[in-house]
Amino acid sequence: MRGMQLSLNKTQKLRLERALEQLESLSSKSNSDASVTIADNISVNCEDAILKGHGTTELDGHVVATLCGVVERVNKLVYVRALRARYKPEIGDIIVGRVIEVAPKRWRLEINFSQDAVLMLSSMNLPDGIQRRRTAIDELNMRSIFEENDVICAEVRGFQHDGCLHLQARSQKYGKLERGQLLTITPYLVKKRKQHFHYLEQYGIDLILGCNGYVWVGEHVEVKDPMLVEDQLNKSEQPIADSENSMSSADEVDTCTPLETRQNICRTANAIRVLSTLGFVVTVEVILAVVNLSMSLSLDIHEMLGPEFYVLVAEKEAERRSSLGKKR
């Protein structure tokens, strides 16, 4: 919130401050130990054998925070997760990255990390979908799969001894992303969950919340079994040249994204921008709530980035959290 710059009038500024104060009081009531600053005491049970992790130390018999952030607890381990820290990868993370180099037998990706990630040719599915050893011909055809500036979704596979990050894209849900927008938000706004791939059926778009702070919003793509696709292509082959020309012209028509889908992509992307600017955690439920709010107010897509809508989103979020607190 400290870095947010909006051209608000006095009334809007007062409303926004009131909504943010309400949100802060609600978070402090639900968990008084949620956020800490340097030298704040962290309440722990002294009878348990507590393991002091990153961002904590012991002072006069109390566990004290040495960082500004959020207190996390994993069994007996207590540590502080810094908010404005750079992305720290973990094995199994779903990430979105951009290809910056095509090297021998590998692609190098920028993933909002201190080092570039590497996707090996052997760590992904080939276009034909057949599981086989990679040959010299596959290495020569690497640019036909991914080239510079392509946006890719992959999974963190592991780390090398030199700190290099290795990725894998062996599932059909991973691979090249097209016909959409790539957004960059602060990584801590994306919480690690079981599902990071979301299909917004009512809008016909796909949403990928990358753990590294890269979010993809694009046209929905059906994930198909490559063996079934190959069988269908073999059955539909015809030697007539006229039919091939008609099929190629039909494919060209299919490559165009409908106007309504493009508008939904832009509207969803603006909803994510609003949430990121306000410093709210980005989840699919909150994104849909912001999109529905803009449509209920009959706002144009560009009007979502106006100061009044920022204030409305903050007020609606405060109302939602207060209602949840009353139910509990």
Side-chain angles (χ1 to χ4, degrees), residues 147-161:
E147 58 183 2
E148 288 84 352
N149 294 322
D150 280 351
V151 180
I152 297 175
C153 178
E155 180 181 332
V156 177
R157 178 185 177 186
F159 301 87
Q160 294 296 323
H161 58 84

Side-chain angles (χ1 to χ4, degrees), residues 124-132 134 169-174 222-235:
M124 63 161 297
N125 284 337
L126 295 175
D128 54 14
I130 302 175
Q131 298 294 330
R132 57 177 173 81
R134 277 48 172 175
R170 289 196 178 96
S171 174
Q172 292 298 320
K173 61 184 178 181
Y174 303 134
E222 291 287 346
V223 179
K224 298 180 180 179
D225 188 348
M227 301 303 295
L228 295 177
V229 174
E230 187 177 357
D231 292 341
Q232 292 176 359
L233 290 174
N234 292 334
K235 291 179 181 179

Side-chain angles (χ1 to χ4, degrees), residues 135-182:
T135 63
I137 297 177
D138 295 326
E139 187 175 350
L140 291 173
N141 294 331
M142 284 179 60
R143 288 186 182 274
S144 63
I145 304 175
F146 303 135
E147 58 183 2
E148 288 84 352
N149 294 322
D150 280 351
V151 180
I152 297 175
C153 178
E155 180 181 332
V156 177
R157 178 185 177 186
F159 301 87
Q160 294 296 323
H161 58 84
D162 58 351
C164 181
L165 184 66
H166 277 233
L167 308 175
Q168 68 93 4
R170 289 196 178 96
S171 174
Q172 292 298 320
K173 61 184 178 181
Y174 303 134
K176 187 176 179 180
L177 302 175
E178 297 179 299
R179 306 180 195 175
Q181 290 189 28
L182 178 64

Side-chain angles (χ1 to χ4, degrees), residues 276-300:
S276 175
T277 304
L278 291 171
F280 295 162
V281 175
V282 178
T283 62
V284 64
E285 295 82 10
V286 180
I287 293 172
L288 288 175
V290 175
V291 172
N292 294 333
L293 176 62
S294 67
M295 297 182 73
S296 64
L297 297 173
S298 301
L299 295 178
D300 290 334

